[in-house]
Amino acid sequence: MKDFKLILLLMLFPFLTYSQPGTINSHTDNSQVVRDFSGYKWKMKMMLPGEGVKAGLHELPPADIETLVWNPAKVPGDVFTDLWKAGAIEDPYFGRNSVKAQWVQHYEWWYSYQFNVTEDITDQIVRIDFEGVDFSCDVWLNGVHLGRHEGAFSSFSFDVTEALRVSKKNIESKNMLMIKLDPPPQVNAKVAGRKTPWFGDYWRDLIPFGITRKIKMVSTGKVRIEDVYANTSLNKDGSANVLMEVEVENTTASPKEMTVVASIEGKNFKSKALTAEITQVVKPGIHKIKKNIHVKKPELWWPWDLGKPNLYTAKVSLKDGKVNHDFNEITFGIREVKMKWNPGFTRDEVSFPRTTLINGKVHFIRSACWGGPPDIFVGRTAPGKYANLIKLAKEANMNNIRIFGWHPPEIPEFYELCNEAGLTVWQDMIPMGTGNIPTEREKINLIMAEAASVIKERRNHPSLIMMEGGEEMLLRTADAHFGRAFLEELGDTLQSYANLPYVPDSPLTCEVSQEAGYKKKEAVHALRYFYGMGHALMEDWYQSLDYPIVPEFAITSVPSVESLKKFIPENEMWPPGLSWGHHWADLDRLKMQNWDTFGDEKIGSLEEFVNASQDAQGIIFQNGVEYFRRQKPRLSGIALCHFITYWPDMKWGIVDNYQQPKRSYDYVKRAYQPLLVSLNFKKRRWHTNEPFIGEIWVINDLYKTYKNSSVQLTIKDDKGAVLHSKKMEISIIKENSANKFFDINEKVLAKVEKQFTIELSLTDKNGKELSFNHYMLLIGDQAAATKEFKQMQNAMQKRNGKYGYGNYFRFYDDMTFENGKDHQSDVEQPRASDY
């Protein structure tokens, strides 16, 4: 068949026509063929809501060339990116162009695709599978209405066997697939959990929508495989069971005796193939067939810092005698995930165990909230972006990525890359970033169905180790007990499909969560430093936190000057113009972060300000992360907020939208070293007449013991001159530990003017460096700095109280007529006040 490709090439013994059930050769007799409709052959057209059907777009003759003049489009993709590439709108990421594109979300958009079918489909079932459409659509093939679907994350499928035009002749074999995308929902609460929230302080009011995942046409026999799940478990003797759960559909009206042949073998390591088969009668409809494969000596999947991420391939054939009806292949890993209670917290303080065990070993989570997808307009995301970003995450010493409830579940390629890299995934399974959810039973059922679709598609990935229900959901829930009941039902739904730990919400420490019955020490979203900027200096703030886990730790910064030039107009670059505010630059807080870090707002130039903001973000992250890690095992995980950002902004990411690491990335990389030498200090500002007092710790997340190592301490002044140097011996660093080894009390600051640095180097007995770390501290008065910081907070709060947090005009006197300013013409370029 033209443009068709076999899912599995005939690699073994091409002279064989049929294979006997029970042999691995069954997998080579695959009758399934797939046509991927991905690419740029699509066309799109705008219509007023409801007018497309009235005009008869769905009835266009399949062989007609009318769609030739429609705008070009790509699948997978999104409406905004297709329009930008077609020249209909300006780049929504640049300047304030997103405001100009708001009209797009008030129209319906028609997507068409023409293809030929020239080969006989007798005794076959042909379906068109949709992996995901955001949000609602109707589908026609050759004028036949196939159906309608709602839900951004759930896949759906239509039997098109009868609707297809099949012929050896070109014109008669033409088929026209037509998809009508509705205008996207305008109120998130009505579609909560079934569409990604498009609000929050890192996006502007454009509602992404489009055909966001692949569309494929699949031809099989009349009994087909719907789903394959490799449900793994470990036994006390070290062996493992792989329960192959195969969901099959008999599309005929009669029962059929079918044989399932399953095999597993190593994917990234060599192993002998293990096979199993089962024959049973399959009645019409959908049924589940189970067969266990026992693995005597399994190669386990591990996070990269605990072992090797070993992966298996499972192949499943579905046969009727000698005729193979269908075939499926999946990748999975054998691993066991359990949770245990964090030591030091009573059951009156916490409701859930928060320490993750992978195959019996503690997996201390060094994570960041993903902040993705790489682009909120998925049509802008080239495949290579995911590979590069996962590589950067691992190089930053992260062993986990958290997908939280303001962002969608990721595409399969994301999990595949995490599987291979040995990165675990902690995921809010569907985006529940709002507590304002429907209360009607039928609408709750839709949310649960969406969640079931999400977990079924992702449960084979060994990287997925933890499920969560909501993200600050109870924080915004009017009825605490309804919210809890909903989250518990969501957990039951998810865990009925995958045996993974589940936590209902994060952080579960707000007033509503307490009313719902959760405990006071569940978790902390370490956000107050940013949102309550000025209430305390960084070290006074993070040292006040005592929780078993930190699902969010947030500090902001500005992308590099090179990246700024890609989305900020040249005439708004410096001092900051309005586009800075539009891209969520909190100009008050950025200056205050700089001041707390350096004792200076650092606004002398664009380069100085940008670099200082990134260093400030990095220093605050480093110091906070190390404080949290020293609490191990009382504390068991940290997720920074964020790793990336899904459009170019001035917010949370340590890697910007152009995949460029900020300077803060290097601080995080250092703080997340699995084996880390760490300095504990109570304050960052010191008088020149007092000794520097601190402690030297070593945190070891590895299951490896280090004997006869040493730490080199070096203190330097403003100019880099060495004030003090000392070497200290450590007899043993235990595996999976965090311990203090030395106290420091050195009176060496007399000649320091503004700041000093402390360097720590941990080496083994042969002099090989195992960990390096350094810190920048200030000369100053802690109490006086606290007072000044609070005065800055008062000024910021006065401005915010007058205009509101979301209104960036508050930074521009020209726009608010403050201080005698008056913006009268576009010839003028408003600039941020106080810069």
PDB file of all heavy atoms in Angstrom, residues 645-658:
ATOM      1  N   THR A 645      10.621  26.861  30.885  1.00  0.00           N
ATOM      2  CA  THR A 645       9.392  27.640  30.753  1.00  0.00           C
ATOM      3  C   THR A 645       8.808  27.379  29.373  1.00  0.00           C
ATOM      4  O   THR A 645       9.539  27.125  28.418  1.00  0.00           O
ATOM      5  CB  THR A 645       9.644  29.148  30.911  1.00  0.00           C
ATOM      6  OG1 THR A 645      10.556  29.584  29.892  1.00  0.00           O
ATOM      7  CG2 THR A 645      10.241  29.452  32.266  1.00  0.00           C
ATOM      8  N   TYR A 646       7.455  27.407  29.274  1.00  0.00           N
ATOM      9  CA  TYR A 646       6.843  27.020  28.000  1.00  0.00           C
ATOM     10  C   TYR A 646       6.566  28.195  27.068  1.00  0.00           C
ATOM     11  O   TYR A 646       5.907  28.040  26.046  1.00  0.00           O
ATOM     12  CB  TYR A 646       5.612  26.162  28.208  1.00  0.00           C
ATOM     13  CG  TYR A 646       4.447  26.729  28.986  1.00  0.00           C
ATOM     14  CD1 TYR A 646       4.145  28.083  29.016  1.00  0.00           C
ATOM     15  CD2 TYR A 646       3.598  25.851  29.672  1.00  0.00           C
ATOM     16  CE1 TYR A 646       3.049  28.562  29.699  1.00  0.00           C
ATOM     17  CE2 TYR A 646       2.500  26.311  30.359  1.00  0.00           C
ATOM     18  CZ  TYR A 646       2.223  27.672  30.367  1.00  0.00           C
ATOM     19  OH  TYR A 646       1.126  28.147  31.038  1.00  0.00           O
ATOM     20  N   TRP A 647       7.064  29.361  27.404  1.00  0.00           N
ATOM     21  CA  TRP A 647       7.158  30.457  26.452  1.00  0.00           C
ATOM     22  C   TRP A 647       8.251  31.370  26.975  1.00  0.00           C
ATOM     23  O   TRP A 647       8.708  31.204  28.120  1.00  0.00           O
ATOM     24  CB  TRP A 647       5.811  31.175  26.274  1.00  0.00           C
ATOM     25  CG  TRP A 647       5.430  32.209  27.306  1.00  0.00           C
ATOM     26  CD1 TRP A 647       5.473  32.070  28.656  1.00  0.00           C
ATOM     27  CD2 TRP A 647       4.944  33.526  27.052  1.00  0.00           C
ATOM     28  NE1 TRP A 647       5.022  33.211  29.272  1.00  0.00           N
ATOM     29  CE2 TRP A 647       4.693  34.134  28.303  1.00  0.00           C
ATOM     30  CE3 TRP A 647       4.690  34.260  25.894  1.00  0.00           C
ATOM     31  CZ2 TRP A 647       4.198  35.434  28.428  1.00  0.00           C
ATOM     32  CZ3 TRP A 647       4.182  35.548  26.029  1.00  0.00           C
ATOM     33  CH2 TRP A 647       3.953  36.112  27.287  1.00  0.00           C
ATOM     34  N   PRO A 648       8.754  32.302  26.191  1.00  0.00           N
ATOM     35  CA  PRO A 648       9.833  33.163  26.697  1.00  0.00           C
ATOM     36  C   PRO A 648       9.303  34.134  27.734  1.00  0.00           C
ATOM     37  O   PRO A 648       8.501  35.011  27.418  1.00  0.00           O
ATOM     38  CB  PRO A 648      10.335  33.870  25.431  1.00  0.00           C
ATOM     39  CG  PRO A 648       9.215  33.804  24.463  1.00  0.00           C
ATOM     40  CD  PRO A 648       8.441  32.564  24.768  1.00  0.00           C
ATOM     41  N   ASP A 649       9.731  33.974  28.980  1.00  0.00           N
ATOM     42  CA  ASP A 649       9.233  34.828  30.049  1.00  0.00           C
ATOM     43  C   ASP A 649      10.369  35.218  30.986  1.00  0.00           C
ATOM     44  O   ASP A 649      11.526  34.877  30.771  1.00  0.00           O
ATOM     45  CB  ASP A 649       8.096  34.148  30.812  1.00  0.00           C
ATOM     46  CG  ASP A 649       8.539  32.920  31.594  1.00  0.00           C
ATOM     47  OD1 ASP A 649       9.745  32.617  31.607  1.00  0.00           O
ATOM     48  OD2 ASP A 649       7.672  32.259  32.197  1.00  0.00           O
ATOM     49  N   MET A 650      10.019  35.947  32.033  1.00  0.00           N
ATOM     50  CA  MET A 650      10.992  36.424  33.023  1.00  0.00           C
ATOM     51  C   MET A 650      10.725  35.748  34.365  1.00  0.00           C
ATOM     52  O   MET A 650      10.806  36.377  35.412  1.00  0.00           O
ATOM     53  CB  MET A 650      10.871  37.939  33.189  1.00  0.00           C
ATOM     54  CG  MET A 650      10.738  38.709  31.903  1.00  0.00           C
ATOM     55  SD  MET A 650      12.311  38.941  31.100  1.00  0.00           S
ATOM     56  CE  MET A 650      11.881  40.236  29.922  1.00  0.00           C
ATOM     57  N   LYS A 651      10.390  34.492  34.323  1.00  0.00           N
ATOM     58  CA  LYS A 651       9.918  33.836  35.532  1.00  0.00           C
ATOM     59  C   LYS A 651      10.854  32.755  36.039  1.00  0.00           C
ATOM     60  O   LYS A 651      12.014  32.981  36.309  1.00  0.00           O
ATOM     61  CB  LYS A 651       8.513  33.290  35.286  1.00  0.00           C
ATOM     62  CG  LYS A 651       7.402  34.328  35.551  1.00  0.00           C
ATOM     63  CD  LYS A 651       7.290  34.638  37.024  1.00  0.00           C
ATOM     64  CE  LYS A 651       6.132  35.602  37.268  1.00  0.00           C
ATOM     65  NZ  LYS A 651       5.939  35.849  38.703  1.00  0.00           N
ATOM     66  N   TRP A 652      10.335  31.540  36.146  1.00  0.00           N
ATOM     67  CA  TRP A 652      10.907  30.555  37.053  1.00  0.00           C
ATOM     68  C   TRP A 652      12.058  29.723  36.498  1.00  0.00           C
ATOM     69  O   TRP A 652      12.895  29.244  37.246  1.00  0.00           O
ATOM     70  CB  TRP A 652       9.805  29.582  37.504  1.00  0.00           C
ATOM     71  CG  TRP A 652       8.520  30.219  37.883  1.00  0.00           C
ATOM     72  CD1 TRP A 652       7.349  30.192  37.180  1.00  0.00           C
ATOM     73  CD2 TRP A 652       8.249  30.998  39.040  1.00  0.00           C
ATOM     74  NE1 TRP A 652       6.363  30.884  37.843  1.00  0.00           N
ATOM     75  CE2 TRP A 652       6.894  31.394  38.991  1.00  0.00           C
ATOM     76  CE3 TRP A 652       9.019  31.403  40.130  1.00  0.00           C
ATOM     77  CZ2 TRP A 652       6.297  32.157  39.980  1.00  0.00           C
ATOM     78  CZ3 TRP A 652       8.422  32.171  41.113  1.00  0.00           C
ATOM     79  CH2 TRP A 652       7.079  32.544  41.034  1.00  0.00           C
ATOM     80  N   GLY A 653      12.105  29.458  35.227  1.00  0.00           N
ATOM     81  CA  GLY A 653      13.004  28.436  34.701  1.00  0.00           C
ATOM     82  C   GLY A 653      14.482  28.721  34.914  1.00  0.00           C
ATOM     83  O   GLY A 653      14.916  29.876  34.950  1.00  0.00           O
ATOM     84  N   ILE A 654      15.265  27.639  35.019  1.00  0.00           N
ATOM     85  CA  ILE A 654      16.733  27.767  35.014  1.00  0.00           C
ATOM     86  C   ILE A 654      17.282  27.457  33.619  1.00  0.00           C
ATOM     87  O   ILE A 654      18.473  27.592  33.373  1.00  0.00           O
ATOM     88  CB  ILE A 654      17.402  26.866  36.076  1.00  0.00           C
ATOM     89  CG1 ILE A 654      17.091  25.397  35.848  1.00  0.00           C
ATOM     90  CG2 ILE A 654      16.981  27.292  37.478  1.00  0.00           C
ATOM     91  CD1 ILE A 654      17.878  24.448  36.740  1.00  0.00           C
ATOM     92  N   VAL A 655      16.405  27.012  32.725  1.00  0.00           N
ATOM     93  CA  VAL A 655      16.702  26.883  31.296  1.00  0.00           C
ATOM     94  C   VAL A 655      15.606  27.645  30.570  1.00  0.00           C
ATOM     95  O   VAL A 655      14.422  27.421  30.825  1.00  0.00           O
ATOM     96  CB  VAL A 655      16.727  25.409  30.851  1.00  0.00           C
ATOM     97  CG1 VAL A 655      16.910  25.295  29.335  1.00  0.00           C
ATOM     98  CG2 VAL A 655      17.824  24.653  31.579  1.00  0.00           C
ATOM     99  N   ASP A 656      15.992  28.575  29.682  1.00  0.00           N
ATOM    100  CA  ASP A 656      14.974  29.432  29.081  1.00  0.00           C
ATOM    101  C   ASP A 656      14.273  28.747  27.909  1.00  0.00           C
ATOM    102  O   ASP A 656      14.570  27.608  27.556  1.00  0.00           O
ATOM    103  CB  ASP A 656      15.552  30.799  28.704  1.00  0.00           C
ATOM    104  CG  ASP A 656      16.522  30.758  27.518  1.00  0.00           C
ATOM    105  OD1 ASP A 656      16.420  29.851  26.666  1.00  0.00           O
ATOM    106  OD2 ASP A 656      17.387  31.667  27.443  1.00  0.00           O
ATOM    107  N   ASN A 657      13.328  29.447  27.301  1.00  0.00           N
ATOM    108  CA  ASN A 657      12.501  28.862  26.252  1.00  0.00           C
ATOM    109  C   ASN A 657      13.288  28.504  25.005  1.00  0.00           C
ATOM    110  O   ASN A 657      12.809  27.771  24.149  1.00  0.00           O
ATOM    111  CB  ASN A 657      11.360  29.820  25.900  1.00  0.00           C
ATOM    112  CG  ASN A 657      10.361  29.220  24.936  1.00  0.00           C
ATOM    113  OD1 ASN A 657      10.237  29.655  23.797  1.00  0.00           O
ATOM    114  ND2 ASN A 657       9.645  28.197  25.381  1.00  0.00           N
ATOM    115  N   TYR A 658      14.500  29.016  24.885  1.00  0.00           N
ATOM    116  CA  TYR A 658      15.348  28.701  23.735  1.00  0.00           C
ATOM    117  C   TYR A 658      16.378  27.630  24.088  1.00  0.00           C
ATOM    118  O   TYR A 658      17.398  27.482  23.423  1.00  0.00           O
ATOM    119  CB  TYR A 658      16.027  29.978  23.237  1.00  0.00           C
ATOM    120  CG  TYR A 658      15.014  31.079  22.977  1.00  0.00           C
ATOM    121  CD1 TYR A 658      14.826  32.113  23.896  1.00  0.00           C
ATOM    122  CD2 TYR A 658      14.212  31.043  21.846  1.00  0.00           C
ATOM    123  CE1 TYR A 658      13.878  33.095  23.673  1.00  0.00           C
ATOM    124  CE2 TYR A 658      13.255  32.033  21.615  1.00  0.00           C
ATOM    125  CZ  TYR A 658      13.102  33.052  22.534  1.00  0.00           C
ATOM    126  OH  TYR A 658      12.138  34.028  22.319  1.00  0.00           O
TER     127      TYR A 658
END
